[in-house]
Amino acid sequence: PTIAPTTPKYELVSSGYYDYNVIPDKYNTGCSGGLTKINSACTVDGVEFSMGDNGGTVVIDLYYRNKDMASEVVIRNKDFSDCKFAVRHSDNANKNYTIRFVNCKFAVAATDIDQDKVDFYFTNCTFQNFYGSEATFTRCYFGDRAGDGMNPFKNITVQNCYFAGFPQNMGGVHGDAMQVYGKAGIDAENIIFRNSRIEIPIIASRKGGINACFMVQLEYSNGKNMLYENCIINGGGYSIYAHVVKDDLTIENVMFRNISI
Protein backbone atom coordinates (compact mmCIF):
# COMPACT_ATOMS: atom_id res chain seq x y z
CA PRO A 1 0.00 0.00 0.00
CA THR A 2 1.04 3.58 -0.55
CA ILE A 3 0.21 6.79 1.26
CA ALA A 4 -1.29 9.64 -0.71
CA PRO A 5 -0.12 13.05 0.52
CA THR A 6 -2.46 16.01 0.63
CA THR A 7 0.09 18.20 -1.15
CA PRO A 8 1.96 16.92 -4.23
CA LYS A 9 5.40 18.34 -3.49
CA TYR A 10 5.99 15.87 -0.63
CA GLU A 11 6.05 12.25 -1.78
CA LEU A 12 5.28 9.60 0.81
CA VAL A 13 6.25 6.46 -1.11
CA SER A 14 9.67 4.84 -1.20
CA SER A 15 11.82 6.08 -4.07
CA GLY A 16 14.66 3.54 -3.78
CA TYR A 17 17.17 6.42 -3.69
CA TYR A 18 18.70 5.76 -0.28
CA ASP A 19 21.44 3.24 0.42
CA TYR A 20 20.03 1.21 3.28
CA ASN A 21 23.43 -0.41 3.89
CA VAL A 22 24.86 2.89 5.16
CA ILE A 23 23.81 3.18 8.78
CA PRO A 24 23.74 6.77 10.07
CA ASP A 25 26.09 7.34 13.01
CA LYS A 26 28.22 10.06 14.61
CA TYR A 27 30.79 9.84 11.83
CA ASN A 28 28.53 10.59 8.88
CA THR A 29 25.91 12.93 10.36
CA GLY A 30 26.00 16.39 11.90
CA CYS A 31 28.35 19.33 11.44
CA SER A 32 32.15 19.28 11.50
CA GLY A 33 35.16 21.55 11.21
CA GLY A 34 35.51 25.19 12.17
CA LEU A 35 32.26 27.14 12.47
CA THR A 36 31.61 30.86 12.79
CA LYS A 37 29.67 31.84 15.92
CA ILE A 38 26.47 33.81 15.37
CA ASN A 39 25.31 35.13 18.76
CA SER A 40 24.66 38.80 18.07
CA ALA A 41 22.91 40.94 15.46
CA CYS A 42 24.79 40.81 12.15
CA THR A 43 24.41 40.28 8.39
CA VAL A 44 26.09 37.16 7.00
CA ASP A 45 25.61 35.24 3.75
CA GLY A 46 23.10 37.83 2.60
CA VAL A 47 20.88 37.27 5.65
CA GLU A 48 20.24 39.74 8.46
CA PHE A 49 20.25 38.08 11.88
CA SER A 50 18.66 39.99 14.75
CA MET A 51 18.33 39.19 18.44
CA GLY A 52 14.99 38.52 20.09
CA ASP A 53 13.64 37.44 23.48
CA ASN A 54 15.95 39.85 25.33
CA GLY A 55 19.00 38.56 23.53
CA GLY A 56 18.22 34.88 24.05
CA THR A 57 17.29 34.01 20.45
CA VAL A 58 18.98 34.53 17.08
CA VAL A 59 16.18 35.44 14.67
CA ILE A 60 15.69 35.52 10.90
CA ASP A 61 12.71 37.83 10.51
CA LEU A 62 11.03 37.67 7.10
CA TYR A 63 8.61 40.57 7.49
CA TYR A 64 10.20 43.40 9.43
CA ARG A 65 13.67 42.58 8.11
CA ASN A 66 15.25 40.76 5.14
CA LYS A 67 12.82 42.28 2.63
CA ASP A 68 15.61 42.38 0.03
CA MET A 69 16.97 38.90 0.73
CA ALA A 70 17.41 36.66 -2.32
CA SER A 71 14.71 34.08 -3.00
CA GLU A 72 17.23 31.30 -2.31
CA VAL A 73 20.04 31.62 0.23
CA VAL A 74 22.64 29.17 1.54
CA ILE A 75 23.95 29.59 5.09
CA ARG A 76 27.14 27.58 5.64
CA ASN A 77 29.42 26.72 8.55
CA LYS A 78 27.64 28.73 11.24
CA ASP A 79 27.27 27.97 14.94
CA PHE A 80 24.02 29.26 16.46
CA SER A 81 24.20 27.07 19.56
CA ASP A 82 24.93 29.85 22.08
CA CYS A 83 21.27 30.89 21.82
CA LYS A 84 17.95 29.59 20.64
CA PHE A 85 17.35 30.01 16.91
CA ALA A 86 14.08 30.98 15.21
CA VAL A 87 12.69 31.95 11.82
CA ARG A 88 9.70 34.25 12.31
CA HIS A 89 6.89 35.90 10.31
CA SER A 90 7.28 33.47 7.40
CA ASP A 91 3.56 33.69 6.72
CA ASN A 92 3.92 37.47 6.17
CA ALA A 93 6.92 37.25 3.83
CA ASN A 94 6.57 39.28 0.62
CA LYS A 95 7.69 36.34 -1.58
CA ASN A 96 8.56 32.65 -1.47
CA TYR A 97 11.94 31.62 -0.11
CA THR A 98 14.22 28.60 -0.02
CA ILE A 99 16.65 28.73 2.89
CA ARG A 100 19.41 26.11 3.02
CA PHE A 101 21.63 25.45 6.03
CA VAL A 102 24.79 23.44 5.36
CA ASN A 103 27.14 22.27 8.14
CA CYS A 104 25.55 24.40 10.87
CA LYS A 105 25.04 23.84 14.59
CA PHE A 106 21.92 24.67 16.60
CA ALA A 107 20.70 24.28 20.16
CA VAL A 108 16.90 24.65 19.99
CA ALA A 109 15.74 25.70 16.50
CA ALA A 110 12.19 26.65 15.51
CA THR A 111 10.34 27.61 12.35
CA ASP A 112 6.78 28.83 11.95
CA ILE A 113 4.31 25.95 12.05
CA ASP A 114 1.52 27.06 9.70
CA GLN A 115 2.99 28.69 6.59
CA ASP A 116 3.69 27.74 2.97
CA LYS A 117 6.04 30.47 1.76
CA VAL A 118 9.39 29.17 3.01
CA ASP A 119 11.05 25.79 2.42
CA PHE A 120 13.95 24.88 4.71
CA TYR A 121 16.72 22.39 3.91
CA PHE A 122 19.26 21.27 6.51
CA THR A 123 22.28 19.21 5.42
CA ASN A 124 24.94 17.90 7.81
CA CYS A 125 23.60 20.02 10.65
CA THR A 126 23.55 19.34 14.41
CA PHE A 127 20.55 20.04 16.65
CA GLN A 128 19.54 19.56 20.25
CA ASN A 129 15.91 20.10 19.20
CA PHE A 130 13.99 21.15 16.10
CA TYR A 131 10.38 22.40 16.31
CA GLY A 132 8.55 23.37 13.14
CA SER A 133 7.28 22.70 9.63
CA GLU A 134 8.25 22.76 5.94
CA ALA A 135 11.75 21.33 6.37
CA THR A 136 13.96 18.58 4.94
CA PHE A 137 16.85 17.12 6.95
CA THR A 138 19.67 15.11 5.37
CA ARG A 139 22.57 13.58 7.36
CA CYS A 140 21.72 15.59 10.46
CA TYR A 141 22.40 14.72 14.11
CA PHE A 142 19.88 15.28 16.92
CA GLY A 143 20.58 14.87 20.62
CA ASP A 144 22.75 15.81 23.60
CA ARG A 145 19.79 17.31 25.45
CA ALA A 146 17.14 16.17 27.91
CA GLY A 147 13.81 16.33 26.12
CA ASP A 148 12.68 15.59 22.57
CA GLY A 149 15.08 15.63 19.66
CA MET A 150 12.44 16.77 17.19
CA ASN A 151 8.83 17.98 17.17
CA PRO A 152 7.61 17.90 13.56
CA PHE A 153 4.30 19.44 12.49
CA LYS A 154 3.72 19.67 8.72
CA ASN A 155 5.67 18.64 5.62
CA ILE A 156 8.79 17.29 7.30
CA THR A 157 11.23 14.85 5.68
CA VAL A 158 14.04 13.26 7.71
CA GLN A 159 16.51 11.09 5.80
CA ASN A 160 19.82 9.48 6.72
CA CYS A 161 19.79 11.12 10.17
CA TYR A 162 20.97 10.00 13.61
CA PHE A 163 19.27 10.58 16.98
CA ALA A 164 21.49 9.81 19.99
CA GLY A 165 23.32 11.24 22.99
CA PHE A 166 20.17 11.83 25.04
CA PRO A 167 20.99 11.99 28.76
CA GLN A 168 19.33 9.67 31.23
CA ASN A 169 16.18 10.81 33.00
CA MET A 170 17.01 13.89 35.07
CA GLY A 171 14.49 15.65 37.30
CA GLY A 172 11.49 13.91 35.79
CA VAL A 173 12.20 15.05 32.23
CA HIS A 174 11.51 12.39 29.60
CA GLY A 175 12.95 12.46 26.13
CA ASP A 176 11.54 11.10 22.87
CA ALA A 177 13.75 10.97 19.82
CA MET A 178 10.83 12.60 18.05
CA GLN A 179 7.28 13.39 19.09
CA VAL A 180 4.40 14.42 16.89
CA TYR A 181 1.80 16.09 19.12
CA GLY A 182 0.14 18.61 16.80
CA LYS A 183 -1.11 22.14 17.37
CA ALA A 184 -4.67 23.28 17.96
CA GLY A 185 -6.42 23.92 14.65
CA ILE A 186 -3.53 22.61 12.52
CA ASP A 187 -3.34 18.94 11.53
CA ALA A 188 0.04 17.25 11.87
CA GLU A 189 0.60 15.80 8.40
CA ASN A 190 3.04 14.71 5.71
CA ILE A 191 5.86 13.55 7.99
CA ILE A 192 8.49 11.17 6.61
CA PHE A 193 11.38 9.39 8.33
CA ARG A 194 13.65 7.28 6.09
CA ASN A 195 16.91 5.40 6.60
CA SER A 196 17.54 6.94 10.02
CA ARG A 197 18.87 5.53 13.29
CA ILE A 198 17.72 6.21 16.84
CA GLU A 199 19.55 5.36 20.08
CA ILE A 200 17.85 6.63 23.26
CA PRO A 201 17.70 5.58 26.91
CA ILE A 202 14.72 3.69 28.33
CA ILE A 203 12.44 5.82 30.49
CA ALA A 204 9.28 4.17 31.81
CA SER A 205 8.41 5.43 35.27
CA ARG A 206 5.77 7.43 37.09
CA LYS A 207 8.30 10.18 37.72
CA GLY A 208 9.63 10.52 34.19
CA GLY A 209 6.61 9.31 32.25
CA ILE A 210 7.44 7.28 29.18
CA ASN A 211 9.51 7.84 26.09
CA ALA A 212 9.75 6.33 22.63
CA CYS A 213 11.90 6.31 19.53
CA PHE A 214 8.85 7.17 17.42
CA MET A 215 6.28 8.95 19.61
CA VAL A 216 3.22 9.73 17.50
CA GLN A 217 1.03 11.01 20.31
CA LEU A 218 -1.56 13.48 19.08
CA GLU A 219 -2.45 15.81 21.95
CA TYR A 220 -3.69 19.00 20.27
CA SER A 221 -4.81 18.15 16.72
CA ASN A 222 -5.46 15.37 14.25
CA GLY A 223 -2.60 13.54 12.57
CA LYS A 224 -2.40 11.97 9.11
CA ASN A 225 -0.12 10.90 6.27
CA MET A 226 3.05 9.75 8.03
CA LEU A 227 5.63 7.26 6.82
CA TYR A 228 8.43 5.70 8.84
CA GLU A 229 10.54 3.25 6.84
CA ASN A 230 13.94 1.58 6.62
CA CYS A 231 14.98 2.78 10.09
CA ILE A 232 16.94 1.22 12.97
CA ILE A 233 15.59 2.10 16.42
CA ASN A 234 16.92 1.11 19.84
CA GLY A 235 15.73 2.06 23.32
CA GLY A 236 12.79 3.92 24.75
CA GLY A 237 10.15 2.73 27.17
CA TYR A 238 8.35 2.00 23.90
CA SER A 239 10.01 1.61 20.53
CA ILE A 240 6.88 2.90 18.76
CA TYR A 241 4.04 4.65 20.61
CA ALA A 242 1.15 5.83 18.44
CA HIS A 243 -2.25 7.01 19.65
CA VAL A 244 -4.44 10.05 20.29
CA VAL A 245 -4.87 11.58 23.71
CA LYS A 246 -8.39 13.01 23.30
CA ASP A 247 -11.49 11.21 22.05
CA ASP A 248 -12.32 13.90 19.48
CA LEU A 249 -8.93 13.60 17.71
CA THR A 250 -8.08 11.16 14.92
CA ILE A 251 -4.91 9.60 13.56
CA GLU A 252 -4.93 8.03 10.11
CA ASN A 253 -2.81 6.90 7.19
CA VAL A 254 0.31 6.15 9.23
CA MET A 255 2.73 3.46 8.07
CA PHE A 256 5.71 1.84 9.78
CA ARG A 257 7.59 -0.26 7.21
CA ASN A 258 10.85 -2.21 7.41
CA ILE A 259 11.77 -0.99 10.90
CA SER A 260 14.55 -2.88 12.72
CA ILE A 261 14.03 -2.76 16.49
Side-chain angles (χ1 to χ4, degrees), residues 62-246:
L62 294 176
Y63 179 67
Y64 296 103
R65 303 173 187 270
N66 288 299
K67 292 183 181 294
D68 297 324
M69 190 174 76
S71 297
E72 181 166 348
V73 296
V74 180
I75 300 169
R76 298 180 183 271
N77 307 324
K78 303 299 184 293
D79 183 350
F80 301 95
S81 63
D82 284 351
C83 309
K84 294 180 180 179
F85 175 88
V87 181
R88 293 178 176 166
H89 302 125
S90 302
D91 52 339
N92 292 322
N94 60 5
K95 59 184 176 182
N96 294 331
Y97 292 98
T98 297
I99 301 179
R100 301 181 184 274
F101 295 87
V102 179
N103 198 50
C104 293
K105 185 177 183 181
F106 303 86
V108 177
T111 65
D112 292 315
I113 293 173
D114 191 23
Q115 61 88 22
D116 60 3
K117 289 188 174 182
V118 188
D119 292 324
F120 300 94
Y121 295 86
F122 298 89
T123 303
N124 281 111
C125 292
T126 295
F127 299 83
Q128 292 182 349
N129 169 267
F130 173 83
Y131 173 105
S133 298
E134 307 293 342
T136 297
F137 302 84
T138 304
R139 297 188 303 277
C140 292
Y141 174 84
F142 298 82
D144 299 330
R145 170 183 180 264
D148 299 337
M150 172 181 279
N151 300 113
F153 291 87
K154 294 175 59 178
N155 300 328
I156 294 289
T157 297
V158 178
Q159 55 197 20
N160 303 317
C161 291
Y162 184 37
F163 292 73
F166 292 84
Q168 294 291 333
N169 184 26
M170 299 294 290
V173 176
H174 81 284
D176 305 307
M178 58 79 64
Q179 181 179 0
V180 181
Y181 48 70
K183 184 177 177 64
I186 303 170
D187 285 354
E189 60 183 335
N190 298 343
I191 296 170
I192 307 170
F193 276 70
R194 284 197 179 113
N195 200 44
S196 294
R197 179 182 171 197
I198 295 173
E199 302 274 354
I200 65 173
I202 295 173
I203 300 172
S205 68
R206 290 184 179 274
K207 181 179 181 181
I210 58 172
N211 71 333
C213 296
F214 290 136
M215 176 72 82
V216 185
Q217 178 175 271
L218 278 301
E219 300 178 21
Y220 305 106
S221 68
N222 301 323
K224 60 185 177 183
N225 297 340
M226 304 179 199
L227 173 64
Y228 304 84
E229 69 172 357
N230 303 312
C231 294
I232 298 173
I233 61 178
N234 181 27
Y238 291 84
S239 299
I240 297 171
Y241 193 83
H243 80 137
V244 295
V245 174
K246 299 177 181 178

